[in-house]
Amino acid sequence: MLVQKRKDGGDHGEKEVIQVRVSTGSKWHDISIGATSTFGELKMLLSLVTGLEPREQRLLFKGKEREDSDHLHMVGVKNTDKVLLLEDPAIKERKLRALRNQVLGTPCHTIKV
């Protein structure tokens, strides 16, 4: 049987809050979140800060992309650890294509009557 030792003798209903430093490449965001939260929950918080929808985000910790269902504490995320946020390249390409079509307009079509 596996038994996990508690670090403190405090209230067992209280969640430990950790500070995670998220890099977007050019900016850093310090996010406070529960240690037992999931990467999906972290993405939801990051969407408020970055403007990127959770489905547009890819989070990497220790060089590996993490699934939305992975819990922070289970993969070893601790207080003041760093996580890398990347925009999903496929979605980024779609956004650029849509923006290009808006700027350039839709292609001309000749209609014969």
Side-chain angles (χ1 to χ4, degrees):
M1 175 165 58
L2 181 64
V3 178
Q4 184 177 5
K5 184 177 179 181
R6 297 191 187 275
K7 291 184 180 180
D8 61 355
D11 182 15
H12 300 301
E14 190 177 302
K15 282 189 174 182
E16 180 185 1
V17 175
I18 60 173
Q19 183 107 11
V20 179
R21 181 165 256 207
V22 180
S23 171
T24 60
S26 60
K27 294 181 183 178
W28 288 96
H29 301 285
D30 291 321
I31 305 293
S32 294
I33 190 167
T36 58
S37 299
T38 63
F39 278 89
E41 293 167 335
L42 179 57
K43 284 181 177 183
M44 289 187 340
L45 286 174
L46 286 168
S47 69
L48 300 172
V49 177
T50 63
L52 288 174
E53 292 295 320
R55 64 182 178 79
E56 299 173 342
Q57 301 173 25
R58 293 175 56 204
L59 293 178
L60 283 77
F61 178 67
K62 291 189 177 181
K64 294 182 182 177
E65 184 174 359
R66 302 302 174 164
E67 297 295 323
D68 289 352
S69 60
D70 290 346
H71 289 266
L72 300 173
H73 71 290
M74 295 300 286
V75 297
V77 178
K78 295 182 180 75
N79 196 37
T80 69
D81 276 350
K82 294 170 183 69
V83 174
L84 180 62
L85 168 64
L86 299 174
E87 186 174 358
D88 188 319
I91 293 175
K92 189 175 185 178
E93 178 65 29
R94 269 188 249 139
K95 279 183 174 179
L96 286 173
R97 227 180 271 142
L99 182 63
R100 204 173 317 143
N101 286 342
Q102 285 178 350
V103 172
L104 298 176
T106 55
C108 285
H109 297 285
T110 304
I111 300 173
K112 294 184 180 182
V113 182

